[in-house]
Structure formats: C-alpha cells, structure tokens
Amino acid sequence: MEKIGIIDLGSNSARLVIVNLFTEGYFMVVDELKESVRLGQDMERDGFLKPARVAETIKTLKMFRKLCDASGVTRIIAVATEAVRRAKNQRSFLDEIQATCGIKIRVLSPEEEAVLVYRGVINTMDVPKGIVLEIGGGSTKIVYYNRRNMLNYVTLPFGAVTLTGLFSGEGLKPEEQAAKIEEFFTEQLKQVEWLREVDPDVQMIGVGGSFRNLFKIAKMVHKYPLDNVHNYKMQVEDFMPLYDMIKVLDLDKKKKIKGLSAERADILPAALAVIKAFVSYMNAEQFTFSGAGLREGLMFNQALPMTIEKPIADVLNYSLTTLVKYYGCDEKHVEHVVNLSIQLFKQLRVLHKFPRQYLKILKVAAMMHDCGMSVKFYNHQRHSWYMILNATLYGVSHRDIVLAAFTACCHKREEINAYDWARYRDIISDDDLDIVKKLGVMLRIAESLDRSHSGTIKGINCDILGDSVIMKTEIEGDATLEIKNAMSAATEFRKSFHKNLEIL
C-alpha cells in the first residue's frame, strides 16, 4: 500500500486529501485539510496574484506539507487551476512555493481540468448521459458526455469569486447583484454553440464546493436524514425558494444560515445565480449533486491508470469492493454470500415479484453485511446498518442505500426499529418495509448457508410446491452447520413469503 497526498489549489480554496492506494487498484481517502485562501481575489484589475493572497497560500501549503510528512505520505501530486493559470506572476509564484514548501505544482490546462472533473464524475456515478456544471472560484466548467464518452467541454473564466468581485462595487442591492450575474452568465452560455445541440433528456450534474454547501443548506431546511451529498437529487422547484431566500440577504445574515460555511457566505449567491442561469437556459427540472470531481479524477488516475483510457465499467461493484477490502471483510465469504443471495432472488421471483432493480439493493446489503465486524462482533448487523448509511457508495441512489442498510440489518435476528425507520420517511415509504423484510430473509439464509466460511454449499435449487419451498443444496462436505443455521430463519421466511421452508 502507498500513501499519497493530492493538493488542489483553486481560486477560492486549497484542499489536501491524503489517500491510501491499495495494490489491487483501489483507494481510500484517510485524511483531508481545506483552507480558504482566495488566491483569485482582486485579480481582475491587473492579472497579478496579490501579495497577501500569495502569503496566505504559502502558509497553507506549509501546513499541508507538515501533515503529509507526519502522515507518511511518499508522493505529493499538486495541481493549480484558473487563478494560477491566468496569473501574470505565475512563474515567480510557483518557484516560491517550490523553494519554501518543497512542493512542485502543475498548472492544469482548461482541457486537463475538464477531463479530470469528467473522470471524477463518470467513475463514481451510474449516469450514462450527463452535463456537468462545476463552479469554481475563478472559472466555471461545463462538460457534456454521452454513452460514457466525453463529447464537449467549455471553461468560462468566471467563477463564484470573480463574479462576486465583478458585480459588488456598483452600489446594488444583493438581489440586484444576483440578477446582474444571472443576466451576464446567460449571455456567456449563449456563446457556447454546442450547448444548443445537447439532448433535452440529459441529466444535469453539479460539482464543487458551492453545490456541497447548497446540499448542507437543503439538508437543514428539509431535515434530510442522510449526510451523503453524492447522488442527492434536487428539483429546480425546490432550489428556487432557497435561492430567493439567500440572494436578498446581506452578508451578516448569510453567515448565520445553518449549513453555510462562513468563508463561502459572500460568494455563494453568485454561485447560486450561475445555477439559476444554467437550469433556466437548459430547461432543467432537476439536478444531481456529485461529491466527486477533479480530485477524485486524480485519485483514479493514480490508483487505476486504465481509467485514463476508459471509465470503470461497474461503478457500484468497484466502490463495494473498495469497502470490503478497507474494512477487512472475508472476501471469499462475501463473494459466496452475494452469489447465494442472487440465486435466491432469482429462484424466488415468482413469490416476491420484485423487478431486477431490487437485486442491486440485495447486492449492496450482501457485500457489506459483515462490515460492522470491524467495530464489534456483537450486534455487528447494527454497525453494518450505520456504516452502509454513511459509506462512500458510488452508482447507487440514496433510496437504495437506505433500503440496503435495513436489509443488511436483517441478516441476523433483528427487528427493524420503528424509530430508525421513521427517520428516513422522506426517502422510503411504509410499502418498502415489506421489501426489506423479504430481501433481509433472503440475505439471512444466504449468509447462513456459508456459516463456516468454507464454501461447503456450492449452490441451491428452489422448488415451490403448494405451501412449501423446498430448497435443495449442492454441497461438498458436511453442511449440517449451514443447513441448521439457515433453518433458524424459517419463521421469518413464513411471515414474509407465506410458505414453509424446507432445506435439504
């Protein structure tokens, strides 16, 4: 395993992520540090990075270097974007950083930056056709892809910091500034000819700190129960009241908004105005948040170089396998339980009548059912439940994550807690309880059929005869333990499927 540091020096903030690279091509973020440096502030006048901003950035990078050294980081990959790219004093700035911090920074071209954002999105989201809006401090990137191929991109040299600076000195009220930014940005969009050719059913994906802050505000306002920004979906009709509320406030009042970081309070209205202009211009009704972008693109480049040529084929399986390895689960047992769960799902379809999409929920639960063992064996199903709800899971909706967590909780004799269930009522419904119980008992049987982690039971064949399900096992060796353990689920099986269970 190798530990690397990735530094993203943007126009608004500098961020360090420390990443463990596993030998098999997987990775996990193990530490993070972020500072608001405002490197691009006040550049509009003469194109130079200002001494105060440079000093603050160097101070931050020295902290990053110290943390990397203390953490045992062996390599640092550092990149800079729009502010440094445009700076007339770029060379002297980069030389000073290398001399004082020992960090060599590579300035990304607009195309390199767009490609990295695209790779971060395409390798973490199961969205075959999308248009990505990434709002930075000094620029805004728009990337269009279809069939998991990048088709077009544009980098507009205006971001949340620069737009705030451009429209803050005219004596305008906050809402008037927002309207000016909307108008200005719409004119920029009109000049991007290929935007007119984008398919009308394309999915809009939002990337960057402004979208993360918007999620935090929406979470507070709507009491949304999950903390996971990735794959959160927001309707435009729900975005507009938040935008209308925020754009009229002065800075002191904006800083008091729950969920909004104080260092972003002054520039968020500009970012929201960009979102408003974009969804209006594209006639979007909904957008999806991505928690992954440029830095994740760099991580995939380092951990799995093949992604430079083509994206990961199965995003969900990749993220699940990463977690299985990270939590130290018995990989052979996990694989066996997944296979047996799939066999049960398919062979009992005439009883449960679930469409194929529910197999994804069962797979997530089966792969992560034992991750709670890394906390404690006793009641580990409860720990698995919590860990699934809070894990970095890619390629799966928030609803499916919640259902998978409750399904995993059922792989032992566990009654679903009514209070826990009620907490997620905005994501799941009462009808989903029956789904979870059916999937849960299938998982419990599958896990029991590999109770000794020895792979004794190779397969199963189910016959539905009258009021019974006869489960015939294909075995190699003594399967007494497995069959006895699986039969302990007979009562739950009867409650869920209204059939008696026999295992031979």
Side-chain angles (χ1 to χ4, degrees):
M1 183 180 72
E2 183 186 12
K3 185 171 285 187
I4 66 170
I6 291 177
I7 294 174
D8 173 13
L9 181 56
S11 303
N12 178 53
S13 61
R15 192 183 296 260
L16 162 71
V17 287
I18 296 177
V19 185
N20 282 345
L21 300 182
F22 307 141
T23 54
E24 302 92 340
Y26 300 93
F27 65 87
M28 181 65 68
V29 174
V30 294
D31 205 349
E32 180 184 55
L33 190 58
K34 172 182 173 285
E35 292 291 324
S36 177
V37 295
R38 293 290 171 91
L39 190 56
Q41 192 167 298
D42 299 326
M43 276 187 68
E44 295 80 16
R45 294 198 303 268
D46 55 12
F48 282 86
L49 300 171
K50 299 301 176 281
R53 301 295 97 211
V54 170
E56 185 65 28
T57 301
I58 290 174
K59 178 183 174 183
T60 295
L61 291 175
K62 284 180 178 178
M63 288 193 299
F64 287 0
R65 181 80 214 202
K66 181 180 180 180
L67 183 58
C68 286
D69 292 343
S71 303
V73 166
T74 56
R75 281 192 297 135
I76 295 177
I77 297 103
V79 298
T81 52
E82 182 68 17
V84 181
R85 189 162 56 228
R86 289 193 292 116
K88 292 179 180 178
N89 54 342
Q90 176 194 116
R91 188 69 266 158
S92 61
F93 171 68
L94 296 178
D95 289 345
E96 187 175 358
I97 287 174
Q98 185 154 10
T100 57
C101 308
I103 298 172
K104 184 176 182 179
I105 295 180
R106 180 165 68 93
V107 180
L108 297 174
S109 69
E111 182 178 10
E112 288 174 321
E113 190 177 352
V115 167
L116 285 170
V117 170
Y118 163 73
R119 285 183 189 150
V121 169
I122 202 65
N123 289 306
T124 61
M125 302 188 82
D126 188 15
V127 180
K129 178 169 61 176
I131 188 159
V132 181
L133 178 69
E134 200 258 16
I135 306 170
S139 67
T140 298
K141 286 158 285 299
I142 305 170
V143 181
Y144 176 44
Y145 70 90
N146 194 0
R147 297 181 179 178
R148 299 173 66 80
N149 288 306
M150 183 170 159
L151 300 179
N152 273 305
Y153 81 92
V154 65
T155 298
L156 302 173
F158 308 99
V161 173
T162 48
L163 287 169
T164 300
L166 280 172
F167 293 94
S168 61
E170 301 180 12
L172 301 173
K173 295 178 180 178
E175 60 269 32
E176 292 172 336
Q177 291 175 8
K180 288 279 188 182
I181 293 171
E182 279 184 51
E183 182 182 356
F184 174 81
F185 199 80
T186 300
E187 289 304 312
Q188 306 306 309
L189 294 175
K190 289 178 181 178
Q191 296 175 34
V192 184
E193 294 184 5
W194 59 261
L195 274 178
R196 304 183 194 121
E197 311 300 323
V198 171
D199 291 348
D201 62 339
V202 70
Q203 188 164 330
M204 178 186 157
I205 299 167
V207 177
S210 296
F211 281 100
R212 288 192 293 272
N213 261 252
L214 178 58
F215 166 75
K216 290 176 183 177
I217 296 169
K219 175 180 165 60
M220 297 295 293
V221 169
H222 299 295
K223 296 180 171 59
Y224 192 71
L226 283 185
D227 289 327
N228 191 359
V229 62
H230 196 71
N231 258 326
Y232 177 75
K233 297 183 186 300
M234 177 177 278
Q235 301 295 323
V236 170
E237 64 182 8
D238 293 327
F239 163 75
M240 287 306 301
L242 294 177
Y243 176 48
D244 290 340
M245 172 191 74
I246 292 169
K247 72 181 183 182
V248 301
L249 300 177
D250 60 31
L251 183 56
D252 288 338
K253 289 180 180 178
K254 284 197 285 280
K255 287 182 177 179
K256 295 176 182 177
I257 297 173
K258 291 183 179 180
L260 176 57
S261 60
E263 65 266 19
R264 195 174 285 271
D266 60 331
I267 62 172
L268 184 66
L272 298 184
V274 168
I275 296 172
K276 168 60 169 58
F278 191 77
V279 296
S280 297
Y281 187 76
M282 300 302 296
N283 294 314
E285 296 180 356
Q286 174 187 273
F287 50 95
T288 303
F289 293 59
S290 172
L294 183 147
R295 290 181 295 278
E296 284 72 21
L298 287 167
M299 293 176 208
F300 279 106
N301 282 3
Q302 296 298 315
L304 204 60
M306 59 155 278
T307 55
I308 295 173
E309 300 297 329
K310 62 178 182 178
I312 293 168
D314 189 339
V315 170
L316 175 59
N317 190 67
Y318 178 86
S319 69
L320 286 170
T321 304
T322 300
L323 292 167
V324 167
K325 290 179 180 296
Y326 182 70
Y327 291 127
C329 301
D330 183 336
E331 293 183 45
K332 288 186 177 179
H333 171 65
V334 167
E335 183 181 2
H336 205 53
V337 171
V338 170
N339 289 335
L340 291 172
S341 297
I342 291 171
Q343 290 180 47
L344 279 169
F345 184 92
K346 291 179 178 178
Q347 294 179 33
L348 296 177
R349 182 171 276 146
V350 69
L351 296 181
H352 61 68
K353 299 181 176 62
F354 296 151
R356 183 176 175 80
Q357 68 197 61
Y358 286 94
L359 192 56
K360 180 185 287 189
I361 297 167
L362 183 57
K363 182 178 180 179
V364 173
M367 286 197 73
M368 295 194 65
H369 75 281
D370 271 349
C371 64
M373 297 268 282
S374 62
V375 178
K376 186 173 66 173
F377 168 75
Y378 295 105
N379 295 318
H380 68 264
Q381 70 278 5
R382 291 286 299 169
H383 301 305
S384 297
W385 170 79
Y386 171 83
M387 292 164 82
I388 292 171
L389 288 172
N390 292 276
T392 301
L393 277 170
Y394 296 142
V396 63
S397 70
H398 284 194
R399 176 177 179 270
D400 287 355
I401 288 173
V402 174
L403 294 180
F406 280 103
T407 298
C409 200
C410 292
H411 89 275
K412 296 293 183 185
R413 288 182 185 174
E414 177 82 18
E415 287 294 324
I416 292 176
N417 184 290
Y419 172 77
D420 289 337
W421 186 266
R423 283 175 59 197
Y424 298 92
R425 61 184 177 273
D426 290 339
I427 301 176
I428 54 179
S429 67
D430 291 340
D431 293 339
D432 290 326
L433 186 58
D434 180 61
I435 294 169
V436 164
K437 288 182 176 180
K438 285 184 169 70
L439 295 176
V441 76
M442 284 188 269
L443 175 58
R444 180 176 169 186
I445 292 170
E447 202 268 346
S448 295
L449 291 176
D450 195 40
R451 183 65 179 82
S452 63
H453 292 221
S454 61
T456 300
I457 294 178
K458 303 300 179 184
I460 47 181
N461 291 287
C462 298
D463 292 325
I464 302 168
L465 303 173
D467 62 354
S468 296
V469 172
I470 313 298
M471 197 174 295
K472 300 173 185 176
T473 57
E474 303 168 11
I475 64 174
E476 286 184 8
D478 182 5
T480 305
L481 169 63
E482 282 75 13
I483 291 174
K484 181 179 179 181
N485 206 254
M487 280 302 299
S488 67
T491 300
E492 284 79 6
F493 187 89
R494 189 181 307 111
K495 287 179 181 177
S496 294
F497 293 102
H498 309 294
K499 299 285 183 183
N500 296 317
L501 176 65
E502 295 182 41
I503 304 178
L504 305 177

